[in-house]
Amino acid sequence: MTTFDTTLTPAELKLDISRLFRKKRLLAFALPAPVLAYLTYVFLAFDVPGLWAKANLENARTLVSDSYSYKTHVTRDNRNGAVSVSIEGERKGTYPDGTAPDWVALGKTTVIDLEDGHTVTFGPETIEYAIPGYGTVRATPSRSAGVQAELPAGDVPEWISVSKNRLAVETGAGRLTVTRNRAEVFRYFAGWELFFFTLDSPYSGMAAGELLQRAATGEAGAIFQDFWTNKMWRHQDVAWAIAETLLMAFLGTIGAAVIALPLAFAATRNFMPLRALRFAMRRLFDFFRGVDSLIWTVVLARAFGPGPLTGALAILVTDTGTFGKIFSEALENVDRKQIEGVASTGATPLQRYRFGVIPQITPVLLSQLLYFFEANTRSATIIGAITGGGIGLLLTQAIITQKDWEEVAYYISLIILMVMLMDWFSGWLRRKLITGGR
């Protein structure tokens, strides 16, 4: 609280208050200066203007769109005229021969209704795209002459790309590409199509009510089996990958705690009288935790090869150093009176540790163990991407394809859900074990 000298005259007091406010204004302007300097440095060091110039917002929009929607491919082989329809262009999502969604009319001339007046026609020789407000775009593919495109008179709009060997038209209704060998229409729909059942499943397209009726009449096992073995979304493989990720985190965390606890006694002043051994053990802990688990992953992968075991060992090595430091600090703060009380009963040295020391550090041990298990669940995802195991591997594979962004969104959603559940579970278990459920 600011005080003023009451012996000052009113004029002097007014001058004193004026100086105080001036100092506060200068301080208010001085405080943001380091922050402003830091932000300016970041702006220049990371070349933000250059990054913005290189950014492709259209690609970003497509990526985001692909994460929550799917596209249906209608493809015509220009060499023989065969037309096929598939979800996401995958063979596992191809409609059976002679079948198609209701907006595709198959025949010698295939008509694709993209709604709102947008219509694509696969004729015997020419592909046509009728665009309301613009006109009809025609393309005639030829093995010798490439793609002969005919556009309405006027300038070519930016949403049409035309060259000797390729025509691409992209509108809000869909996209058409024509090359010498094939013509393809892409149409986007919201949702994750075929997430439950693939097209070859007898339960594909059934409403939820009908599925429940089938399940009630004894088909629950068959329904679950078709869902569990979905060839496009691979729910069975994803569940196993999640289990591998949790197993890596669990084995690494528990193994590190089991190794670090006895070693921590050798790093404490009150349990290890040999100063040289204490120093060596503490430096060993520093070495283990000083190298990040990702570096240990790369090193151990050379020795043990890829797999979940390598990821678990990487977590174990890093956390052994961290737990060793935490446990040794907890051991140095134990109450000697409790140990002396246990010793007065004639207990052996091992019993003194068991009943006089361990109960005192148990809350710290369990709290840190559960916290690191939760944190290592997230780390195991990245480690799995390097070692070839767990959900991290599936996530990396989906990203590498540059087209399965709906699967990327699916895996990320599962990872977030897994972390949330681990956070809840560790908190619940911590309350049960440490505070008795209070």
Side-chain angles (χ1 to χ4, degrees), residues 254-318:
I254 298 299
V258 170
I259 295 173
L261 182 59
L263 294 180
F265 282 91
T268 57
R269 296 184 180 89
N270 49 344
F271 291 102
M272 175 51 63
L274 300 177
R275 184 174 182 179
L277 185 57
R278 289 203 312 267
F279 179 82
M281 193 56 63
R282 290 186 178 186
R283 299 296 76 78
L284 182 64
F285 290 154
D286 290 342
F287 172 70
F288 284 155
R289 67 191 178 89
V291 180
D292 191 83
S293 57
L294 291 178
I295 305 301
W296 283 118
T297 301
V298 176
V299 173
L300 294 171
R302 296 295 298 269
F304 299 98
L309 176 62
T310 302
L313 288 175
I315 294 174
L316 184 148
V317 172
T318 304

Short mmCIF file of all heavy atoms in Angstrom, two decimals, residues 254-318:
data_model
loop_
_atom_site.label_atom_id
_atom_site.label_comp_id
_atom_site.label_asym_id
_atom_site.label_seq_id
_atom_site.Cartn_x
_atom_site.Cartn_y
_atom_site.Cartn_z
N ILE A 254 6.67 -49.49 -14.95
CA ILE A 254 6.81 -50.40 -13.81
C ILE A 254 8.23 -50.94 -13.72
O ILE A 254 8.82 -51.02 -12.63
CB ILE A 254 5.80 -51.56 -13.93
CG1 ILE A 254 4.37 -51.03 -13.91
CG2 ILE A 254 6.00 -52.56 -12.80
CD1 ILE A 254 4.00 -50.28 -12.65
N GLY A 255 8.81 -51.29 -14.86
CA GLY A 255 10.18 -51.80 -14.85
C GLY A 255 11.16 -50.76 -14.32
O GLY A 255 12.08 -51.09 -13.54
N ALA A 256 10.97 -49.51 -14.71
CA ALA A 256 11.86 -48.45 -14.22
C ALA A 256 11.72 -48.26 -12.72
O ALA A 256 12.72 -48.07 -12.00
CB ALA A 256 11.54 -47.14 -14.95
N ALA A 257 10.50 -48.33 -12.20
CA ALA A 257 10.29 -48.16 -10.77
C ALA A 257 10.92 -49.31 -9.98
O ALA A 257 11.53 -49.08 -8.93
CB ALA A 257 8.79 -48.07 -10.47
N VAL A 258 10.78 -50.53 -10.47
CA VAL A 258 11.34 -51.70 -9.79
C VAL A 258 12.87 -51.62 -9.73
O VAL A 258 13.49 -51.96 -8.72
CB VAL A 258 10.89 -53.00 -10.49
CG1 VAL A 258 11.66 -54.21 -9.96
CG2 VAL A 258 9.39 -53.19 -10.32
N ILE A 259 13.49 -51.13 -10.79
CA ILE A 259 14.96 -51.02 -10.83
C ILE A 259 15.43 -49.82 -10.02
O ILE A 259 16.44 -49.89 -9.29
CB ILE A 259 15.45 -50.91 -12.29
CG1 ILE A 259 15.14 -52.21 -13.04
CG2 ILE A 259 16.94 -50.61 -12.34
CD1 ILE A 259 15.42 -52.13 -14.54
N ALA A 260 14.70 -48.70 -10.12
CA ALA A 260 15.17 -47.46 -9.50
C ALA A 260 15.05 -47.48 -7.99
O ALA A 260 15.87 -46.86 -7.29
CB ALA A 260 14.38 -46.28 -10.06
N LEU A 261 14.05 -48.18 -7.42
CA LEU A 261 13.84 -48.13 -5.97
C LEU A 261 15.04 -48.66 -5.18
O LEU A 261 15.54 -47.96 -4.29
CB LEU A 261 12.56 -48.89 -5.60
CG LEU A 261 12.19 -48.87 -4.12
CD1 LEU A 261 12.02 -47.43 -3.64
CD2 LEU A 261 10.91 -49.67 -3.87
N PRO A 262 15.55 -49.87 -5.46
CA PRO A 262 16.73 -50.32 -4.70
C PRO A 262 17.97 -49.48 -4.98
O PRO A 262 18.79 -49.26 -4.09
CB PRO A 262 16.91 -51.77 -5.14
CG PRO A 262 16.19 -51.89 -6.43
CD PRO A 262 15.06 -50.93 -6.37
N LEU A 263 18.12 -49.01 -6.24
CA LEU A 263 19.30 -48.20 -6.56
C LEU A 263 19.24 -46.84 -5.86
O LEU A 263 20.29 -46.24 -5.58
CB LEU A 263 19.39 -48.00 -8.08
CG LEU A 263 19.66 -49.25 -8.92
CD1 LEU A 263 19.71 -48.87 -10.40
CD2 LEU A 263 20.95 -49.93 -8.51
N ALA A 264 18.02 -46.35 -5.58
CA ALA A 264 17.89 -45.04 -4.94
C ALA A 264 18.49 -45.04 -3.54
O ALA A 264 18.97 -44.01 -3.07
CB ALA A 264 16.41 -44.65 -4.89
N PHE A 265 18.46 -46.19 -2.85
CA PHE A 265 19.05 -46.26 -1.51
C PHE A 265 20.55 -45.98 -1.56
O PHE A 265 21.11 -45.41 -0.62
CB PHE A 265 18.81 -47.64 -0.89
CG PHE A 265 17.42 -47.83 -0.35
CD1 PHE A 265 16.42 -48.35 -1.15
CD2 PHE A 265 17.12 -47.47 0.95
CE1 PHE A 265 15.14 -48.52 -0.66
CE2 PHE A 265 15.83 -47.64 1.46
CZ PHE A 265 14.83 -48.16 0.65
N ALA A 266 21.19 -46.39 -2.68
CA ALA A 266 22.64 -46.18 -2.80
C ALA A 266 22.99 -44.74 -3.15
O ALA A 266 24.18 -44.40 -3.18
CB ALA A 266 23.20 -47.12 -3.85
N ALA A 267 21.99 -43.90 -3.42
CA ALA A 267 22.24 -42.51 -3.81
C ALA A 267 21.87 -41.53 -2.71
O ALA A 267 21.86 -40.33 -2.95
CB ALA A 267 21.47 -42.18 -5.08
N THR A 268 21.56 -42.03 -1.52
CA THR A 268 21.13 -41.16 -0.43
C THR A 268 22.20 -41.07 0.66
O THR A 268 22.92 -42.04 0.92
CB THR A 268 19.83 -41.68 0.19
OG1 THR A 268 20.03 -43.03 0.65
CG2 THR A 268 18.70 -41.68 -0.82
N ARG A 269 22.26 -39.92 1.32
CA ARG A 269 23.25 -39.71 2.38
C ARG A 269 22.94 -40.52 3.63
O ARG A 269 23.85 -40.99 4.31
CB ARG A 269 23.30 -38.23 2.74
CG ARG A 269 23.77 -37.31 1.63
CD ARG A 269 23.87 -35.88 2.12
NE ARG A 269 24.31 -34.99 1.06
CZ ARG A 269 23.49 -34.38 0.23
NH1 ARG A 269 22.18 -34.57 0.33
NH2 ARG A 269 23.96 -33.57 -0.70
N ASN A 270 21.66 -40.68 3.93
CA ASN A 270 21.30 -41.34 5.18
C ASN A 270 21.26 -42.86 5.09
O ASN A 270 21.10 -43.53 6.11
CB ASN A 270 19.94 -40.82 5.68
CG ASN A 270 18.88 -40.82 4.59
OD1 ASN A 270 19.20 -40.92 3.41
ND2 ASN A 270 17.64 -40.70 4.98
N PHE A 271 21.42 -43.43 3.89
CA PHE A 271 21.45 -44.89 3.78
C PHE A 271 22.75 -45.42 3.16
O PHE A 271 23.03 -46.61 3.26
CB PHE A 271 20.26 -45.38 2.92
CG PHE A 271 18.94 -45.19 3.59
CD1 PHE A 271 18.10 -44.15 3.23
CD2 PHE A 271 18.53 -46.05 4.60
CE1 PHE A 271 16.88 -43.98 3.85
CE2 PHE A 271 17.30 -45.88 5.22
CZ PHE A 271 16.47 -44.84 4.85
N MET A 272 23.51 -44.57 2.50
CA MET A 272 24.77 -45.00 1.87
C MET A 272 25.92 -44.13 2.41
O MET A 272 26.07 -42.97 2.02
CB MET A 272 24.67 -44.88 0.34
CG MET A 272 25.97 -45.18 -0.39
SD MET A 272 26.75 -46.74 0.09
CE MET A 272 25.50 -47.92 -0.42
N PRO A 273 26.76 -44.70 3.29
CA PRO A 273 27.85 -43.91 3.86
C PRO A 273 29.01 -43.68 2.89
O PRO A 273 29.80 -42.75 3.10
CB PRO A 273 28.31 -44.77 5.05
CG PRO A 273 27.91 -46.17 4.67
CD PRO A 273 26.65 -46.04 3.87
N LEU A 274 29.13 -44.49 1.84
CA LEU A 274 30.24 -44.35 0.89
C LEU A 274 29.94 -43.20 -0.08
O LEU A 274 29.06 -43.31 -0.94
CB LEU A 274 30.47 -45.65 0.13
CG LEU A 274 30.83 -46.88 0.98
CD1 LEU A 274 30.96 -48.12 0.11
CD2 LEU A 274 32.11 -46.63 1.75
N ARG A 275 30.68 -42.14 0.07
CA ARG A 275 30.44 -40.95 -0.74
C ARG A 275 30.68 -41.20 -2.22
O ARG A 275 29.94 -40.72 -3.08
CB ARG A 275 31.32 -39.81 -0.25
CG ARG A 275 31.08 -38.49 -0.94
CD ARG A 275 31.89 -37.39 -0.31
NE ARG A 275 31.63 -36.11 -0.95
CZ ARG A 275 32.19 -34.97 -0.57
NH1 ARG A 275 33.05 -34.96 0.46
NH2 ARG A 275 31.91 -33.85 -1.20
N ALA A 276 31.73 -41.97 -2.54
CA ALA A 276 32.06 -42.25 -3.95
C ALA A 276 30.94 -43.02 -4.63
O ALA A 276 30.59 -42.74 -5.80
CB ALA A 276 33.37 -43.02 -4.03
N LEU A 277 30.34 -43.97 -3.93
CA LEU A 277 29.25 -44.75 -4.51
C LEU A 277 28.01 -43.89 -4.71
O LEU A 277 27.30 -44.02 -5.71
CB LEU A 277 28.93 -45.96 -3.62
CG LEU A 277 27.89 -46.94 -4.16
CD1 LEU A 277 28.32 -47.46 -5.52
CD2 LEU A 277 27.68 -48.09 -3.18
N ARG A 278 27.75 -42.99 -3.72
CA ARG A 278 26.61 -42.08 -3.87
C ARG A 278 26.79 -41.19 -5.10
O ARG A 278 25.86 -41.00 -5.89
CB ARG A 278 26.48 -41.17 -2.63
CG ARG A 278 25.99 -41.85 -1.39
CD ARG A 278 25.37 -40.84 -0.42
NE ARG A 278 26.21 -39.67 -0.22
CZ ARG A 278 27.10 -39.53 0.75
NH1 ARG A 278 27.32 -40.53 1.61
NH2 ARG A 278 27.80 -38.41 0.89
N PHE A 279 28.00 -40.67 -5.25
CA PHE A 279 28.27 -39.80 -6.40
C PHE A 279 28.11 -40.55 -7.71
O PHE A 279 27.49 -40.05 -8.67
CB PHE A 279 29.70 -39.24 -6.28
CG PHE A 279 30.11 -38.36 -7.41
CD1 PHE A 279 29.76 -37.03 -7.45
CD2 PHE A 279 30.84 -38.88 -8.49
CE1 PHE A 279 30.11 -36.22 -8.51
CE2 PHE A 279 31.20 -38.08 -9.56
CZ PHE A 279 30.84 -36.74 -9.56
N ALA A 280 28.64 -41.77 -7.77
CA ALA A 280 28.55 -42.57 -9.00
C ALA A 280 27.10 -42.90 -9.34
O ALA A 280 26.68 -42.83 -10.51
CB ALA A 280 29.37 -43.85 -8.86
N MET A 281 26.29 -43.23 -8.32
CA MET A 281 24.89 -43.59 -8.58
C MET A 281 24.09 -42.38 -9.05
O MET A 281 23.27 -42.49 -9.97
CB MET A 281 24.28 -44.16 -7.30
CG MET A 281 22.93 -44.84 -7.53
SD MET A 281 23.01 -46.15 -8.77
CE MET A 281 24.16 -47.28 -7.97
N ARG A 282 24.36 -41.22 -8.47
CA ARG A 282 23.62 -40.02 -8.90
C ARG A 282 23.99 -39.63 -10.33
O ARG A 282 23.14 -39.20 -11.10
CB ARG A 282 23.92 -38.87 -7.94
CG ARG A 282 23.31 -39.07 -6.57
CD ARG A 282 23.50 -37.86 -5.69
NE ARG A 282 22.87 -38.04 -4.38
CZ ARG A 282 22.77 -37.11 -3.46
NH1 ARG A 282 23.27 -35.90 -3.69
NH2 ARG A 282 22.18 -37.35 -2.31
N ARG A 283 25.27 -39.78 -10.68
CA ARG A 283 25.68 -39.46 -12.05
C ARG A 283 25.08 -40.46 -13.03
O ARG A 283 24.78 -40.12 -14.18
CB ARG A 283 27.20 -39.44 -12.15
CG ARG A 283 27.91 -38.43 -11.28
CD ARG A 283 27.59 -36.97 -11.64
NE ARG A 283 26.29 -36.49 -11.21
CZ ARG A 283 26.00 -36.12 -9.96
NH1 ARG A 283 26.90 -36.19 -9.00
NH2 ARG A 283 24.80 -35.65 -9.68
N LEU A 284 24.93 -41.71 -12.58
CA LEU A 284 24.29 -42.71 -13.44
C LEU A 284 22.84 -42.34 -13.71
O LEU A 284 22.35 -42.45 -14.85
CB LEU A 284 24.37 -44.09 -12.78
CG LEU A 284 23.78 -45.26 -13.59
CD1 LEU A 284 24.58 -45.46 -14.87
CD2 LEU A 284 23.76 -46.54 -12.76
N PHE A 285 22.14 -41.89 -12.68
CA PHE A 285 20.76 -41.42 -12.86
C PHE A 285 20.72 -40.23 -13.82
O PHE A 285 19.82 -40.15 -14.67
CB PHE A 285 20.14 -41.04 -11.52
CG PHE A 285 19.87 -42.20 -10.61
CD1 PHE A 285 19.83 -42.04 -9.22
CD2 PHE A 285 19.64 -43.47 -11.12
CE1 PHE A 285 19.57 -43.10 -8.39
CE2 PHE A 285 19.38 -44.55 -10.29
CZ PHE A 285 19.35 -44.36 -8.92
N ASP A 286 21.67 -39.31 -13.67
CA ASP A 286 21.73 -38.15 -14.56
C ASP A 286 21.92 -38.59 -16.01
O ASP A 286 21.33 -38.01 -16.94
CB ASP A 286 22.86 -37.21 -14.14
CG ASP A 286 22.57 -36.51 -12.83
OD1 ASP A 286 21.39 -36.47 -12.43
OD2 ASP A 286 23.53 -36.02 -12.19
N PHE A 287 22.77 -39.60 -16.21
CA PHE A 287 23.04 -40.08 -17.57
C PHE A 287 21.78 -40.68 -18.19
O PHE A 287 21.45 -40.40 -19.35
CB PHE A 287 24.16 -41.12 -17.53
CG PHE A 287 24.39 -41.83 -18.83
CD1 PHE A 287 24.94 -41.15 -19.92
CD2 PHE A 287 24.03 -43.16 -18.99
CE1 PHE A 287 25.14 -41.80 -21.13
CE2 PHE A 287 24.23 -43.80 -20.20
CZ PHE A 287 24.79 -43.13 -21.27
N PHE A 288 21.06 -41.50 -17.44
CA PHE A 288 19.86 -42.15 -17.98
C PHE A 288 18.78 -41.14 -18.33
O PHE A 288 18.16 -41.23 -19.40
CB PHE A 288 19.31 -43.16 -16.97
CG PHE A 288 20.11 -44.44 -16.90
CD1 PHE A 288 20.10 -45.22 -15.75
CD2 PHE A 288 20.88 -44.85 -17.97
CE1 PHE A 288 20.84 -46.39 -15.68
CE2 PHE A 288 21.61 -46.02 -17.91
CZ PHE A 288 21.60 -46.79 -16.77
N ARG A 289 18.53 -40.19 -17.43
CA ARG A 289 17.44 -39.25 -17.67
C ARG A 289 17.88 -38.07 -18.52
O ARG A 289 17.06 -37.32 -19.03
CB ARG A 289 16.84 -38.76 -16.36
CG ARG A 289 17.75 -37.92 -15.50
CD ARG A 289 17.16 -37.71 -14.11
NE ARG A 289 18.06 -36.94 -13.25
CZ ARG A 289 18.07 -35.63 -13.16
NH1 ARG A 289 17.23 -34.93 -13.91
NH2 ARG A 289 18.91 -35.02 -12.35
N GLY A 290 19.20 -37.89 -18.68
CA GLY A 290 19.70 -36.79 -19.50
C GLY A 290 19.53 -37.02 -20.99
O GLY A 290 19.54 -36.08 -21.78
N VAL A 291 19.38 -38.28 -21.38
CA VAL A 291 19.15 -38.63 -22.78
C VAL A 291 17.66 -38.89 -22.97
O VAL A 291 17.08 -39.72 -22.26
CB VAL A 291 19.98 -39.86 -23.20
CG1 VAL A 291 19.72 -40.21 -24.66
CG2 VAL A 291 21.46 -39.62 -22.95
N ASP A 292 17.04 -38.20 -23.89
CA ASP A 292 15.60 -38.34 -24.10
C ASP A 292 15.24 -39.76 -24.56
O ASP A 292 16.04 -40.45 -25.18
CB ASP A 292 15.13 -37.33 -25.16
CG ASP A 292 13.62 -37.25 -25.21
OD1 ASP A 292 13.03 -36.52 -24.40
OD2 ASP A 292 13.03 -37.91 -26.08
N SER A 293 14.00 -40.14 -24.23
CA SER A 293 13.55 -41.50 -24.57
C SER A 293 13.55 -41.75 -26.07
O SER A 293 13.74 -42.89 -26.51
CB SER A 293 12.15 -41.74 -24.00
OG SER A 293 11.23 -40.78 -24.48
N LEU A 294 13.35 -40.69 -26.87
CA LEU A 294 13.38 -40.88 -28.32
C LEU A 294 14.79 -41.26 -28.79
O LEU A 294 14.95 -42.07 -29.71
CB LEU A 294 12.92 -39.61 -29.03
CG LEU A 294 11.44 -39.24 -28.88
CD1 LEU A 294 11.15 -37.94 -29.60
CD2 LEU A 294 10.57 -40.36 -29.42
N ILE A 295 15.82 -40.67 -28.16
CA ILE A 295 17.20 -41.02 -28.51
C ILE A 295 17.49 -42.46 -28.09
O ILE A 295 18.10 -43.23 -28.85
CB ILE A 295 18.19 -40.05 -27.84
CG1 ILE A 295 17.85 -38.60 -28.20
CG2 ILE A 295 19.62 -40.39 -28.25
CD1 ILE A 295 17.87 -38.32 -29.67
N TRP A 296 17.04 -42.83 -26.88
CA TRP A 296 17.22 -44.22 -26.45
C TRP A 296 16.48 -45.17 -27.40
O TRP A 296 16.93 -46.29 -27.64
CB TRP A 296 16.70 -44.39 -25.03
CG TRP A 296 17.61 -43.87 -23.96
CD1 TRP A 296 17.36 -42.88 -23.06
CD2 TRP A 296 18.95 -44.32 -23.68
NE1 TRP A 296 18.44 -42.67 -22.25
CE2 TRP A 296 19.43 -43.55 -22.60
CE3 TRP A 296 19.78 -45.28 -24.24
CZ2 TRP A 296 20.70 -43.72 -22.06
CZ3 TRP A 296 21.05 -45.46 -23.71
CH2 TRP A 296 21.50 -44.68 -22.63
N THR A 297 15.36 -44.74 -27.94
CA THR A 297 14.61 -45.58 -28.87
C THR A 297 15.44 -45.88 -30.12
O THR A 297 15.51 -47.03 -30.57
CB THR A 297 13.30 -44.88 -29.29
OG1 THR A 297 12.52 -44.62 -28.12
CG2 THR A 297 12.51 -45.74 -30.25
N VAL A 298 16.07 -44.85 -30.67
CA VAL A 298 16.90 -45.04 -31.86
C VAL A 298 18.09 -45.95 -31.56
O VAL A 298 18.42 -46.85 -32.33
CB VAL A 298 17.37 -43.68 -32.40
CG1 VAL A 298 18.31 -43.88 -33.58
CG2 VAL A 298 16.18 -42.82 -32.80
N VAL A 299 18.72 -45.73 -30.39
CA VAL A 299 19.89 -46.53 -30.01
C VAL A 299 19.51 -47.99 -29.80
O VAL A 299 20.15 -48.91 -30.32
CB VAL A 299 20.54 -45.94 -28.74
CG1 VAL A 299 21.65 -46.86 -28.24
CG2 VAL A 299 21.10 -44.55 -29.02
N LEU A 300 18.44 -48.21 -29.03
CA LEU A 300 18.03 -49.57 -28.71
C LEU A 300 17.45 -50.30 -29.93
O LEU A 300 17.51 -51.53 -30.00
CB LEU A 300 17.00 -49.55 -27.58
CG LEU A 300 17.54 -49.07 -26.23
CD1 LEU A 300 16.40 -48.86 -25.24
CD2 LEU A 300 18.55 -50.07 -25.67
N ALA A 301 16.89 -49.54 -30.88
CA ALA A 301 16.36 -50.18 -32.09
C ALA A 301 17.48 -50.83 -32.90
O ALA A 301 17.26 -51.84 -33.57
CB ALA A 301 15.61 -49.16 -32.95
N ARG A 302 18.68 -50.24 -32.84
CA ARG A 302 19.82 -50.85 -33.53
C ARG A 302 20.24 -52.16 -32.87
O ARG A 302 20.76 -53.06 -33.52
CB ARG A 302 21.01 -49.88 -33.54
CG ARG A 302 20.78 -48.60 -34.33
CD ARG A 302 20.58 -48.90 -35.80
NE ARG A 302 21.76 -49.53 -36.39
CZ ARG A 302 22.76 -48.88 -36.95
NH1 ARG A 302 22.73 -47.55 -36.99
NH2 ARG A 302 23.79 -49.52 -37.47
N ALA A 303 20.02 -52.25 -31.55
CA ALA A 303 20.43 -53.44 -30.81
C ALA A 303 19.37 -54.53 -30.82
O ALA A 303 19.69 -55.71 -30.99
CB ALA A 303 20.77 -53.05 -29.37
N PHE A 304 18.11 -54.14 -30.63
CA PHE A 304 17.04 -55.13 -30.49
C PHE A 304 16.09 -55.18 -31.68
O PHE A 304 15.20 -56.03 -31.71
CB PHE A 304 16.23 -54.84 -29.22
CG PHE A 304 17.03 -54.91 -27.95
CD1 PHE A 304 17.54 -53.77 -27.36
CD2 PHE A 304 17.29 -56.13 -27.36
CE1 PHE A 304 18.27 -53.83 -26.20
CE2 PHE A 304 18.03 -56.21 -26.19
CZ PHE A 304 18.53 -55.06 -25.61
N GLY A 305 16.27 -54.28 -32.63
CA GLY A 305 15.37 -54.25 -33.77
C GLY A 305 14.07 -53.55 -33.43
O GLY A 305 13.80 -53.23 -32.27
N PRO A 306 13.23 -53.29 -34.44
CA PRO A 306 11.96 -52.60 -34.18
C PRO A 306 10.98 -53.50 -33.46
O PRO A 306 11.04 -54.72 -33.54
CB PRO A 306 11.47 -52.25 -35.60
CG PRO A 306 12.10 -53.30 -36.47
CD PRO A 306 13.42 -53.62 -35.86
N GLY A 307 10.05 -52.85 -32.75
CA GLY A 307 9.02 -53.59 -32.04
C GLY A 307 8.65 -52.94 -30.73
O GLY A 307 9.37 -52.07 -30.23
N PRO A 308 7.56 -53.37 -30.11
CA PRO A 308 7.11 -52.78 -28.84
C PRO A 308 8.13 -52.95 -27.72
O PRO A 308 8.22 -52.10 -26.83
CB PRO A 308 5.81 -53.53 -28.53
CG PRO A 308 5.36 -54.08 -29.84
CD PRO A 308 6.60 -54.36 -30.63
N LEU A 309 8.90 -54.05 -27.72
CA LEU A 309 9.88 -54.27 -26.66
C LEU A 309 10.92 -53.15 -26.63
O LEU A 309 11.30 -52.67 -25.56
CB LEU A 309 10.58 -55.62 -26.86
CG LEU A 309 11.71 -55.93 -25.87
CD1 LEU A 309 11.18 -55.98 -24.45
CD2 LEU A 309 12.41 -57.24 -26.24
N THR A 310 11.35 -52.71 -27.80
CA THR A 310 12.32 -51.62 -27.87
C THR A 310 11.74 -50.34 -27.27
O THR A 310 12.43 -49.62 -26.54
CB THR A 310 12.74 -51.37 -29.33
OG1 THR A 310 13.29 -52.58 -29.86
CG2 THR A 310 13.76 -50.26 -29.42
N GLY A 311 10.48 -50.06 -27.55
CA GLY A 311 9.84 -48.88 -26.98
C GLY A 311 9.75 -48.97 -25.47
O GLY A 311 9.99 -47.98 -24.76
N ALA A 312 9.38 -50.15 -24.95
CA ALA A 312 9.29 -50.32 -23.50
C ALA A 312 10.66 -50.14 -22.85
O ALA A 312 10.77 -49.52 -21.78
CB ALA A 312 8.72 -51.70 -23.18
N LEU A 313 11.72 -50.66 -23.47
CA LEU A 313 13.07 -50.52 -22.92
C LEU A 313 13.51 -49.06 -22.93
O LEU A 313 14.18 -48.60 -22.00
CB LEU A 313 14.05 -51.38 -23.72
CG LEU A 313 13.94 -52.89 -23.51
CD1 LEU A 313 14.90 -53.61 -24.46
CD2 LEU A 313 14.22 -53.27 -22.07
N ALA A 314 13.16 -48.32 -23.97
CA ALA A 314 13.53 -46.90 -24.04
C ALA A 314 12.88 -46.13 -22.90
O ALA A 314 13.51 -45.29 -22.25
CB ALA A 314 13.12 -46.32 -25.39
N ILE A 315 11.59 -46.40 -22.64
CA ILE A 315 10.91 -45.74 -21.52
C ILE A 315 11.53 -46.17 -20.20
O ILE A 315 11.74 -45.36 -19.29
CB ILE A 315 9.40 -46.08 -21.56
CG1 ILE A 315 8.75 -45.46 -22.80
CG2 ILE A 315 8.71 -45.58 -20.29
CD1 ILE A 315 7.30 -45.86 -23.00
N LEU A 316 11.86 -47.45 -20.08
CA LEU A 316 12.46 -47.98 -18.85
C LEU A 316 13.78 -47.28 -18.53
O LEU A 316 14.02 -46.87 -17.38
CB LEU A 316 12.66 -49.49 -18.98
CG LEU A 316 13.20 -50.24 -17.76
CD1 LEU A 316 12.64 -51.66 -17.73
CD2 LEU A 316 14.74 -50.32 -17.77
N VAL A 317 14.65 -47.14 -19.53
CA VAL A 317 15.97 -46.53 -19.29
C VAL A 317 15.81 -45.08 -18.84
O VAL A 317 16.42 -44.65 -17.85
CB VAL A 317 16.84 -46.63 -20.56
CG1 VAL A 317 18.13 -45.83 -20.38
CG2 VAL A 317 17.16 -48.08 -20.88
N THR A 318 15.01 -44.31 -19.55
CA THR A 318 14.85 -42.90 -19.20
C THR A 318 14.21 -42.73 -17.83
O THR A 318 14.67 -41.93 -17.00
CB THR A 318 13.99 -42.19 -20.26
OG1 THR A 318 14.58 -42.36 -21.55
CG2 THR A 318 13.88 -40.71 -19.97
#
